[in-house]
Amino acid sequence: MPAHSPSNHQKMRPAWLSTIIIFLVSISQLCAGLELDLDDPDSIKAAAGQAAFDMIKYYDGNITGRIPGNLPDPYYWWQCGAMFGSLLDYYYYTGDAQYNDLVTEGLLFQVGPSNDYMTPNQTKTTGNDDQGFWGMSAMSAAEQKFPDPPEDKPQWLALAQAVFNTQALRWDTQYCGGGLRWQVFTFNTGYDYKNTISNGVFFNLAARLARYTGNQTYADWAEKAWDWTTDVGLMSPDFHFFDGAHTTLNCNDTNRQQWTYNAGVYLLGAASMYNFTEGSDKWRNRVDNIFNQTSIFYSPNPPNVMVEVACEPYGTCDTDNFSFKAYLARWMAATTKMAPYMYDRVMEKIRASAAAAALQCSGGASGTLCGIKWSDGAKYDGTTGVGQQMSALEMMQSLLISRVAAPVTEKAGGTSKGDPSAGSAGTFDPTLPQDTIGKRDRIGAGVLTTLVLVSGASSAWWMIS
């Protein structure tokens, strides 16, 4: 009998047996995923612990010879700062301190020579949004009373203030009436683009610093950033947030793509201002309307399951996009502490999305790696990565938000030391002409924008005309 021929026993296997085998395999796949009881804190912590464990496997900054605070290719620098934000939340929610030393090491290693997260080895990719994500992680560390660094090291609050101060110096009134550019340095493609996330991060940080310190100057900047976003058209009158616009066209070419993290970053900023103003109607109205318009980011079937509508339905999400749902989840949960009346509305979304996310965590050899298409239920989507892990982790651990204390302030429980002048030396002279990028950079930015617009042409239902 040739080696490749089936045996007589295999030939004679009845059809009903094959059907049963296929059925059992299908059932095993459908039953895969992390076990998650939405009402059991121990179950939630166990599921979050597995997601965090699988996420940190991608990190090599704690290996001898590697750089703390960096993820390997294909991940950009900013996403490591964002990942540390998820691990800060993990400790805040679960009390599990096993990653604390790793987080502290990475957050401090990347501060740069001026202690403002302007790291010289990242100049080719440093955007205001990139720097801002590190600043927001430092802000979270201060708010959540994460263990303070040694006294001879930069402190969490001072780091957040340094990021804010460097960015306030970059506020550009020469084009589009204000706002921050996407990129910090003139030689980077995208320097002529003012994107919503960079300005949203600045707004978010200003609002949270106002609440934490009680300093009205931060609140004034938050108001200014909000007003500019609305005036320039990056937010529609009905509270949809778009991607950005170019200085070369005076911001009259708004890219109308909508991403979860843009809505999220403004939601928590508005909620922080609601809290700072002790419940003003103006900021309550803004919180309500932003949250209402996040409805575009949820599947109708199954209901209330978060979807990255700009790319997920079309299989076009990139390494960055996979992480965006993590931030909306993070900031929705935090909003319930700033504006407690939002709790029931937010948790309806988080509970449904967390249950769906847990079902997607069935990939890899371990059977626990998380996919991103939560609306597919237990049908694993075949993707893995830091962003997928982060998104599932943030959504699941957010179920514990009612069991943790509200973020502290300088006068109420806070221990982190600040420095209002940190970073105020800036990174360039803001009085110099700022629209000085070369022809090659303009072409590159134009090509990038064209590709984005073309890729979205077939998915216009989530874009507002």
Side-chain angles (χ1 to χ4, degrees):
M1 180 186 295
H4 63 272
S5 299
S7 67
N8 289 333
H9 176 72
Q10 290 173 313
K11 287 180 179 179
M12 295 174 62
R13 185 168 62 193
W16 60 265
L17 182 57
S18 297
T19 302
I20 290 177
I21 292 172
I22 293 172
F23 174 75
L24 290 175
V25 169
S26 300
I27 289 295
S28 69
Q29 291 174 338
L30 288 174
C31 292
L34 296 178
E35 291 187 13
L36 179 65
D37 183 334
L38 301 178
D39 299 305
D40 181 355
D42 290 335
S43 174
I44 297 166
K45 290 178 182 180
Q50 184 65 57
F53 176 76
D54 287 331
M55 179 178 71
I56 209 64
K57 289 179 182 177
Y58 292 92
Y59 180 66
D60 62 2
N62 56 341
I63 297 175
T64 301
R66 302 297 176 90
I67 300 175
N70 262 349
L71 284 162
D73 289 340
Y75 301 101
Y76 287 106
W77 175 67
W78 77 273
Q79 201 161 337
C80 195
M83 183 190 75
F84 288 151
S86 290
L87 291 174
L88 288 166
D89 287 347
Y90 176 72
Y91 174 62
Y92 174 56
Y93 285 124
T94 70
D96 181 355
Q98 65 174 302
Y99 304 117
N100 285 11
D101 290 345
L102 175 153
V103 171
T104 298
E105 178 189 42
L107 285 174
L108 294 180
F109 192 88
Q110 293 292 329
V111 297
S114 299
N115 297 332
D116 56 7
Y117 289 114
M118 290 301 298
T119 306
N121 65 0
Q122 297 294 333
T123 55
K124 291 184 178 180
T125 60
T126 300
N128 282 300
D129 49 357
D130 303 284
Q131 182 197 23
F133 265 89
W134 286 87
M136 287 190 296
S137 288
M139 189 74 240
S140 292
E143 292 170 330
Q144 296 171 2
K145 292 188 71 171
F146 188 74
D148 292 323
E151 291 186 3
D152 62 339
K153 300 294 184 181
Q155 303 299 300
W156 305 132
L157 176 58
L159 285 167
Q161 290 172 312
V163 171
F164 169 83
N165 286 337
T166 60
Q167 296 198 345
L169 284 172
R170 298 183 199 130
W171 188 262
D172 167 36
T173 58
Q174 185 175 1
Y175 296 91
C176 311
L180 293 178
R181 294 167 180 265
W182 173 20
Q183 294 296 311
V184 173
F185 299 104
T186 60
F187 50 76
N188 284 338
T189 297
Y191 182 73
D192 66 342
Y193 194 65
K194 293 192 175 182
N195 63 339
T196 303
I197 190 59
S198 291
N199 288 281
V201 166
F202 181 68
F203 165 70
N204 180 293
L205 200 52
R208 291 162 69 184
L209 282 168
R211 177 186 175 272
Y212 190 96
T213 66
N215 189 325
Q216 182 63 40
T217 300
Y218 295 122
D220 292 343
W221 270 105
E223 293 270 10
K224 184 175 184 176
W226 175 276
D227 290 345
W228 178 82
T229 303
T230 60
D231 291 345
V232 81
L234 294 184
M235 184 185 77
S236 70
D238 56 351
F239 295 85
H240 290 276
F241 291 89
F242 306 128
D243 187 75
H246 287 89
T247 60
T248 48
L249 295 172
N250 202 34
C251 295
N252 288 318
D253 64 332
T254 304
N255 177 348
R256 305 180 84 82
Q257 280 188 309
Q258 295 187 72
W259 302 101
T260 50
Y261 74 161
N262 282 329
V265 77
Y266 279 89
L267 176 66
L268 179 55
S272 297
M273 289 298 291
Y274 170 82
N275 190 283
F276 174 76
T277 57
E278 299 181 348
S280 76
D281 289 340
K282 176 176 74 174
W283 286 106
R284 177 169 180 148
N285 177 66
R286 290 170 176 177
V287 171
D288 289 343
N289 279 288
I290 295 171
F291 184 77
N292 288 344
Q293 295 306 336
T294 63
S295 61
I296 70 165
F297 299 120
Y298 294 93
S299 166
N301 185 27
N304 297 320
V305 173
M306 193 180 292
V307 177
E308 194 64 62
V309 294
C311 62
E312 191 178 315
Y314 317 103
T316 57
C317 296
D318 64 22
T319 302
D320 289 343
N321 304 155
F322 285 132
S323 72
F324 289 176
K325 291 196 287 190
Y327 317 128
L328 178 53
R330 175 189 300 173
W331 294 324
M332 284 199 312
T335 289
T336 70
K337 292 301 190 186
M338 298 295 100
Y341 75 91
M342 289 290 296
Y343 180 81
D344 289 341
R345 294 164 65 191
V346 167
M347 292 310 295
E348 179 184 28
K349 308 294 187 184
I350 286 178
R351 286 175 65 87
S353 294
L359 289 175
Q360 268 291 309
C361 296
S362 60
S366 65
T368 58
L369 299 185
C370 302
I372 200 66
K373 292 193 73 172
W374 303 340
S375 58
D376 281 356
K379 182 183 176 184
Y380 175 57
D381 68 8
T383 69
T384 57
V386 173
Q388 293 91 323
Q389 292 301 134
M390 201 189 312
S391 293
L393 171 61
E394 286 284 10
M395 192 60 77
M396 291 187 293
Q397 64 191 12
S398 291
L399 291 164
L400 298 169
I401 188 64
S402 67
R403 298 176 177 272
V404 295
V408 299
T409 66
E410 206 163 39
K411 294 182 179 179
T415 60
S416 188
K417 299 292 192 298
D419 179 2
S421 64
S424 59
T427 54
F428 71 96
D429 184 348
T431 65
L432 294 175
Q434 297 174 39
D435 200 42
T436 58
I437 61 172
K439 181 178 180 181
R440 180 186 304 176
D441 296 319
R442 291 183 188 279
I443 293 172
V447 169
L448 177 62
T449 303
T450 300
L451 288 173
V452 168
L453 292 174
V454 169
S455 68
S458 63
S459 51
W461 70 270
W462 47 264
M463 300 173 71
I464 305 300
S465 61

